[in-house]
Amino acid sequence: METALENITLGNGLTFKYADVTGGTYIEYNGIRLTEIRNGLVRGEIVIRPELLNPNKVLHGGVFGTLADTVAIFGCVYVYEVASVTTVSLNITYLKSAKSGTVSATAKMLSRGKTISNWQVDMTDETGELLAMASVSYSIKR
């Protein structure tokens, strides 16, 4: 596991605590942590716990969606320096299941429009094997 970011500072100087924004939310429940954030790239991770598994005892597909959306949406907040970002599309391709360990996500910005931003998120296991890929689009409100 990587060291989690505690504070995020935007280019305009605004700094906020990750825990203040995510405390008491679905993000906190899932245990999603950001480990790196910079212009157009964000990394995060989640440790697989029993309550995140589906009845087949593998990581629930919705957790991959939550991880992808969380990591990429913080990328939008960072790039656009706004808090009003809404997911408008999320598509996931599942390649391999995961039962334990840590899933890491790397989100890369594909396009930066005035009102729409598109991101690709690759999710891997601890060996670097690709588990799932997500394509996420956001509406940016200023």
Side-chain angles (χ1 to χ4, degrees):
M1 285 189 352
E2 304 251 347
T3 302
L5 297 177
E6 293 182 19
N7 298 304
I8 298 172
T9 302
L10 307 180
N12 62 9
L14 175 68
T15 298
F16 61 90
K17 291 182 185 288
Y18 182 73
D20 287 349
V21 176
T22 62
T25 69
Y26 191 60
I27 296 168
E28 181 183 49
Y29 171 79
N30 280 277
I32 297 171
R33 303 165 357 116
L34 297 184
T35 57
E36 179 182 356
I37 190 165
R38 54 187 162 99
N39 198 18
L41 184 124
V42 184
R43 295 184 202 281
E45 63 187 18
I46 189 168
V47 175
I48 298 173
R49 305 183 319 269
E51 59 269 27
L52 300 179
L53 302 178
N54 68 21
N56 295 319
K57 304 297 183 208
V58 297
L59 188 63
H60 191 286
V63 177
F64 283 103
T66 300
L67 176 60
D69 191 34
T70 300
V71 173
I73 207 163
F74 273 95
C76 279
V77 170
Y78 186 85
V79 168
Y80 287 89
E81 299 178 341
V82 297
S84 185
V85 179
T86 304
T87 308
V88 294
S89 175
L90 173 65
N91 182 352
I92 304 170
T93 300
Y94 302 98
L95 304 171
K96 185 179 176 198
S97 62
K99 295 180 180 182
S100 63
T102 301
V103 176
S104 298
T106 301
K108 295 178 184 173
M109 185 173 57
L110 301 176
S111 68
R112 180 183 175 170
K114 285 185 177 183
T115 59
I116 298 289
S117 185
N118 295 291
W119 292 71
Q120 177 178 321
V121 185
D122 292 339
M123 290 164 277
T124 59
D125 64 15
E126 293 169 323
T127 68
E129 188 162 1
L130 189 61
L131 302 174
M133 303 176 302
S135 173
V136 195
S137 298
Y138 297 99
S139 172
I140 312 299
K141 296 188 173 70
R142 296 182 184 260

